[in-house]
Amino acid sequence: MIQSFLQRLARWLDRPFFPWKKLVIGFSLAEFALENWLLFRQYRVLSKTSQPKALENEIDKPTFNKSQEYGRAKAKFGFFSSLFNQAKGLAVIWYDVYPKVWAVAGLLLTRYAPERFSGEITQSLVFVFLFSLIDTFAGMPFSYYHSFVLEQKFGFNKMTVKLWITDMLKSQALTIAFGVPIGSAFLSIIKKTGQGFFYYLWVFMLVVQVSAITIYPIFIVPLFNKLEPLKAGALKDGVEALASKLQFPLGELQVIDGSKRSSHSNAYFTGLPWKKKIVIYDTLLEKSSDKEVEAVLAHELGHWKMGHTTKLLLISQVHLFYTFSLFSVFINNNSLYESFGFHKQRPVFIGFLLFNEILSPTDSMIKLIMNILTRSMEYEADAFAVKLGYSAELGSSLIKLQIQNLSSMDADWLYSSFHYSHPILTERLKAMSWVSESKVVDKSADNEKPLQANDIEL
């Protein structure tokens, strides 16, 4: 029934001379305008000189001013980088760069690859590699500026140029190592399973995601960071007791050298349902008391106890099925291919790429809905930690992270709705009914370097 409906929809949408290219450009410009209007609203909040009343007793004026300055610097950087990406994306579409790069990929295979490697799947993989290379080189100046100018100015960056380049090369190597077999299987499934390919593709991607959850902490993380067991002591005893109390299947308790790249502070858990690993950033240990680290982990374990990770995985599967089934509507759309310069060929991967361009207007709405959901989950995890008796420690750890990260103290409500997966600090403290008994951060902390102002995953 679903397949029959999709086939009828596909025939209806395949209209000769339909202006797909102009439609995509219109979508892209509208999304760009929306994003930058939201950024402008947030910039006005970042220009305020008075701090939120709820934080007046916890955050001094110099720290607030520096936080505002850092927020404005990030907003300006975000505008110029998005402007560049917008211009690049429009140029790619308007000047038919896709068919040109596709032709180059085919030419490279014809000249340099053995005949057994010819074919659409191999050409698609070379096409992806070429585009990835172009994007990497085009984005390098912005990446360099972000790490070595913007972050450096505010004392966050700890990377050397050598480490920055090494990370980039490792990322490219991993993309090829995993992208080639996954991409080949992705395209083979579509080619071999006919009109109902989206059922098989959906199952395949579920297997890939579950495998990634297993492989990432074991093989990928050690390529970039060093992991060591948490040393014996009060903290280890406290965390193990907490995990035992909640019946959390704790297999390993490790510390990661996050300070190798930045002062970003966090903790997370990963692994299979029957054996999980808790990983604590060394920077979190340096900046927090044992009880505050326990409070952070109590929050994270709250996500596990209430099944938030599983729920998000199920939601992602529904979204994937919706995406793949809708792709079946466009996979053979002649007017779509021709609008973007593919008059004689209809490569499957190109079709998927163009389909995603058409689907992009829904991204903002999906992001908004997901943010509403994840913010609700953050409140629940906070309440879980408070119920365990960590109210004071959780509140103080949130405020410390806010100060150390120079995170924005306030946010425009509409901007935060579209961009923040977590509630802002004042909202979380209010929901916890948290009241400080004494100043959280004393003067001795003023000279410490702040942590990197990333989105706090706590």
Side-chain angles (χ1 to χ4, degrees):
M1 182 177 176
I2 294 176
Q3 200 168 323
S4 175
F5 168 75
L6 293 174
Q7 287 174 357
R8 290 197 302 272
L9 183 60
R11 287 192 294 269
W12 185 78
L13 286 172
D14 192 0
R15 297 167 177 265
F17 309 111
F18 188 84
W20 290 108
K21 182 185 287 188
K22 291 181 180 178
L23 188 67
V24 167
I25 289 174
F27 286 161
S28 179
L29 289 172
E31 192 172 2
F32 177 75
L34 172 63
E35 287 294 333
N36 283 282
W37 175 62
L38 293 172
L39 185 62
F40 172 72
R41 289 175 62 100
Q42 176 65 1
Y43 193 86
R44 287 194 301 181
V45 173
L46 294 169
S47 299
K48 291 180 178 179
T49 56
S50 57
Q51 58 203 93
K53 290 185 178 180
L55 300 176
E56 283 179 345
N57 295 328
E58 308 300 345
I59 298 173
D60 58 33
K61 197 66 164 59
T63 301
F64 172 76
N65 290 339
K66 192 172 183 181
S67 167
Q68 292 290 83
E69 182 187 355
Y70 181 61
R72 292 194 298 272
K74 287 197 300 178
K76 290 174 184 176
F77 172 80
F79 170 74
F80 285 108
S81 60
S82 68
L83 182 62
F84 172 79
N85 288 327
Q86 179 69 16
K88 182 185 69 175
L90 290 177
V92 165
I93 293 171
W94 187 256
Y95 294 105
D96 289 336
V97 176
Y98 288 146
K100 291 180 175 66
V101 176
W102 178 262
V104 171
L107 184 63
L108 289 173
L109 286 174
T110 302
R111 287 188 178 180
Y112 303 109
E115 189 175 347
R116 66 179 181 275
F117 289 114
S118 62
E120 183 183 320
I121 291 178
T122 310
Q123 191 169 347
S124 297
L125 296 174
V126 175
F127 171 88
V128 173
F129 174 75
L130 291 175
F131 243 101
S132 175
L133 211 58
I134 292 169
D135 279 341
T136 298
F137 280 110
M140 280 179 69
F142 288 94
S143 176
Y144 181 90
Y145 180 90
H146 181 266
S147 294
F148 297 101
V149 178
L150 194 156
E151 298 293 294
Q152 195 86 26
K153 178 182 177 182
F154 290 90
F156 299 133
N157 180 52
K158 289 194 173 184
M159 282 199 298
T160 61
V161 174
K162 180 181 178 181
L163 182 59
W164 176 67
I165 293 172
T166 302
D167 280 355
M168 198 180 304
L169 292 175
K170 285 181 181 178
S171 297
Q172 288 296 320
L174 286 171
T175 299
I176 294 170
F178 288 97
V180 169
I182 293 173
S184 299
F186 182 93
L187 295 171
S188 295
I189 290 169
I190 295 175
K191 287 285 188 182
K192 294 178 180 179
T193 54
Q195 287 295 321
F197 71 86
F198 52 91
Y199 294 109
Y200 302 94
L201 203 58
W202 176 51
V203 173
F204 169 69
M205 290 308 298
L206 175 60
V207 172
V208 169
Q209 285 184 332
V210 173
S211 300
I213 292 171
T214 306
I215 292 171
Y216 179 77
I218 299 173
F219 299 105
I220 307 302
V221 173
L223 292 175
F224 294 89
N225 292 93
K226 184 179 179 181
L227 291 158
E228 295 181 338
L230 179 65
K231 293 179 181 178
L235 176 59
K236 185 177 181 181
D237 293 342
V239 174
E240 288 178 343
L242 177 63
S244 177
K245 178 181 178 180
L246 299 176
Q247 298 182 321
F248 179 78
L250 179 61
E252 296 178 86
L253 187 53
Q254 295 185 315
V255 178
I256 188 170
D257 62 340
S259 58
K260 181 179 179 181
R261 287 173 179 79
S262 76
S263 300
H264 170 55
S265 183
N266 202 0
Y268 64 90
F269 67 86
T270 185
L272 298 169
W274 55 88
K275 186 180 180 182
K276 293 188 178 292
K277 175 194 296 187
I278 289 178
V279 179
I280 306 172
Y281 278 56
D282 56 356
T283 47
L284 182 63
L285 297 178
E286 292 169 7
K287 300 288 185 178
S288 306
S289 68
D290 288 352
K291 280 296 181 181
E292 286 170 342
V293 175
E294 281 186 42
V296 170
L297 295 177
H299 170 96
E300 294 300 332
L301 293 179
H303 286 305
W304 168 79
K305 194 71 174 179
M306 289 178 281
H308 292 164
T309 305
T310 303
K311 289 174 184 176
L312 290 175
L313 179 62
L314 291 174
I315 290 169
S316 74
Q317 294 313 305
V318 172
H319 181 245
L320 266 182
F321 184 79
Y322 158 76
T323 300
F324 291 150
S325 59
L326 197 57
F327 173 47
S328 70
V329 172
F330 290 88
I331 191 170
N332 293 313
N333 191 310
N334 288 311
S335 61
L336 176 62
Y337 284 98
E338 290 176 359
S339 185
F340 286 87
F342 288 88
H343 301 287
K344 296 180 180 179
Q345 296 174 295
R346 293 184 305 182
V348 169
F349 181 78
I350 297 295
F352 190 66
L353 202 63
L354 300 179
F355 161 71
N356 276 281
E357 297 280 6
I358 294 169
L359 200 64
S360 65
T362 64
D363 289 347
S364 294
M365 293 311 300
I366 290 173
K367 184 166 65 174
L368 175 62
I369 293 169
M370 287 305 298
N371 282 344
I372 292 171
L373 176 63
T374 55
R375 279 199 295 270
S376 173
M377 290 178 174
E378 292 304 317
Y379 284 128
E380 289 176 0
D382 283 347
F384 183 86
V386 169
K387 191 175 180 180
L388 288 174
Y390 291 102
S391 178
E393 292 84 2
L394 182 60
S396 62
S397 65
L398 287 173
I399 294 172
K400 278 187 179 181
L401 286 171
Q402 189 82 7
I403 294 171
Q404 294 159 2
N405 287 337
L406 289 185
S407 300
S408 298
M409 308 295 176
D410 200 1
D412 173 74
W413 71 271
L414 195 55
Y415 178 88
S416 64
S417 297
F418 277 91
H419 290 278
Y420 289 177
S421 60
H422 290 50
I424 62 175
L425 177 61
T426 51
E427 293 171 336
R428 293 177 74 173
L429 294 178
K430 181 179 179 181
M432 292 164 54
S433 300
W434 186 84
V435 178
S436 174
E437 296 179 358
S438 60
K439 193 171 181 61
V440 171
V441 181
D442 60 26
K443 294 294 182 181
S444 64
D446 291 347
N447 295 324
E448 293 181 356
K449 286 187 177 181
L451 300 183
Q452 182 176 346
N454 285 341
D455 288 334
I456 301 171
E457 293 301 321
L458 168 60

